[in-house]
Amino acid sequence: METRLKTVRTVYSLRRALELYRKAGERIALVPTMGALHRGHTALMREARRRARRVVVSIFVNPTQFAPHEDFASYPRDFQTDIKALREAKVDLVWAPPVEVMYPDGFATRIAPEGAAKAGLEDSFRPHFFGGVATVVAKLFTQVSPDFALFGQKDYQQLRVVTQMAKDLDLPLKVIGVPTVREADGLALSSRNAYLSTAERAVAPLLHRVLEECATRINSGENIERVLNVARIEIDLAGFTLDYLEARHAVTLAPIGSPSESPIRLLVAARLGKTRLIDNIAV
Ligand code: AMP
């Protein structure tokens, strides 16, 4: 078993560890996470390892991206289990700052992303979310200065927002999107799947199934809005509370008028009991 894994909790010790890598001319890849690691996260680490000699994983449950009524307090946290997964994935460095290191007293600066962050998808239901994500990711990028940063396509709007932010701020790194890792029945892996009851877990894969059906029908030339309307009813009847099911331009996330406006991405968010699930696929 790999034992080199080092955990740092202050910006000073992070910089000291990174300096050694840079002095050796080694490339660095960063995988930002909120912990409660699963195979989706380890897929990002594998891709990171493919691209860079050194892999840094951050574990930080970021309070600024949760609204007061959301699950910040109850979000799953299991550092010891995470460390085991990180060792097995041969990660070099864990950046696990306490909240007061990330946001010291007097912290007063926020990034306010627009464009994809105002697409009317996640932002309509979690208005504070992308401001919080962009701010913490900008901090992670400047703290670590990685050559590569790996994000999951599972959080597709987030991937677009972070990619645009890195470009707009001239940050010298490449943001890479990694395909969604799924359970055998199609359910996208998520730390929040732990909230699902047995009955809800049995229903949850319907979301991905419906996305696949929609993609097939749109590809065969059916009217997009009609296809989506039928799918919205199907999701509703299965017991979900639908937040949105949309066909959007895969890069800008702007609404799609006709199938010629490709590439198209289908994005869905729905609540099942207390659990909010999101998913998306390419058409
Ligand atoms: P989280 O810890 O949930 O904030 O996720 C950290 C990173 O892992 C984000 O870039 C997510 O998009 C990515 N991720 C989460 N679930 C999956 C999955 N099922 N497949 C691929 N990437 C994922």
Side-chain angles (χ1 to χ4, degrees):
M1 183 174 277
E2 204 41 73
T3 52
R4 289 172 308 134
L5 181 66
K6 187 177 164 70
T7 301
V8 288
R9 297 186 186 277
T10 66
V11 176
Y12 176 75
S13 46
L14 173 70
R15 294 227 161 104
R16 292 235 323 204
L18 292 170
E19 222 169 89
L20 297 177
Y21 304 158
R22 293 229 175 72
K23 275 200 182 126
E26 295 166 339
R27 291 211 281 194
I28 298 167
L30 171 67
V31 180
T33 80
M34 298 205 299
L37 302 177
H38 51 65
R39 286 185 291 112
H41 298 115
T42 44
L44 304 190
M45 294 171 208
R46 255 199 319 280
E47 184 58 29
R49 165 67 61 221
R50 243 172 42 77
R51 292 181 183 261
R53 170 70 183 83
R54 296 294 179 177
V55 177
V56 180
V57 172
S58 61
I59 295 184
F60 182 63
V61 184
N62 175 35
T64 65
Q65 71 192 61
F66 289 80
H69 68 276
E70 290 180 346
D71 56 346
F72 175 72
S74 60
Y75 193 84
R77 291 167 173 87
D78 187 350
F79 194 70
Q80 287 321 314
T81 307
D82 287 347
I83 288 294
K84 258 188 236 153
L86 294 167
R87 283 223 168 86
E88 278 162 25
K90 297 193 166 35
V91 165
D92 296 283
L93 189 64
V94 187
W95 170 219
V99 172
E100 58 279 14
V101 166
M102 200 57 116
Y103 300 114
D105 274 351
F107 183 87
T109 304
R110 260 168 228 286
I111 305 270
E114 298 188 357
K118 297 277 172 70
L121 298 165
E122 284 302 286
D123 51 299
S124 294
F125 296 88
R126 308 183 72 190
H128 49 276
F129 179 69
F130 289 116
V133 167
T135 301
V136 80
V137 171
K139 281 176 69 77
L140 290 168
F141 284 179
T142 46
Q143 288 160 346
V144 177
S145 294
D147 299 281
F148 301 98
L150 293 289
F151 288 83
Q153 290 177 0
K154 151 91 182 353
D155 301 278
Y156 194 81
Q157 191 178 5
Q158 168 175 284
L159 171 63
R160 296 304 322 147
V161 169
V162 167
T163 303
Q164 188 66 43
M165 180 197 68
K167 180 166 188 264
D168 291 348
L169 299 182
D170 302 306
L171 301 178
L173 61 97
K174 191 168 160 60
V175 174
I176 291 157
V178 177
T180 303
V181 177
R182 299 178 180 282
E183 303 283 6
D185 59 15
L187 176 65
L189 263 58
S190 163
S191 307
R192 287 192 170 98
N193 291 353
Y195 301 155
L196 294 168
S197 70
T198 311
E200 289 163 350
R201 175 63 189 81
V203 177
L206 178 114
L207 271 193
H208 178 245
R209 209 153 58 233
V210 168
L211 287 178
E212 294 282 4
E213 277 167 23
C214 289
T216 306
R217 294 175 61 184
I218 291 168
N219 276 328
S220 70
E222 285 189 51
N223 176 276
I224 296 179
E225 214 31 58
R226 210 170 306 142
V227 167
L228 294 180
N229 274 332
V230 172
R232 286 174 185 131
I233 294 168
E234 198 179 335
I235 291 170
D236 212 54
L237 289 176
F240 292 87
T241 307
L242 184 65
D243 282 351
Y244 59 82
L245 169 63
E246 296 281 334
R248 294 299 182 92
H249 189 276
V251 178
T252 63
L253 299 186
I256 290 287
S258 84
S260 60
E261 295 171 49
S262 61
I264 298 177
R265 198 92 192 171
L266 299 177
L267 303 103
V268 68
R271 281 165 289 137
L272 196 52
K274 292 192 302 277
T275 313
R276 190 165 179 281
L277 301 172
I278 63 172
D279 203 347
N280 67 86
I281 60 167
V283 174

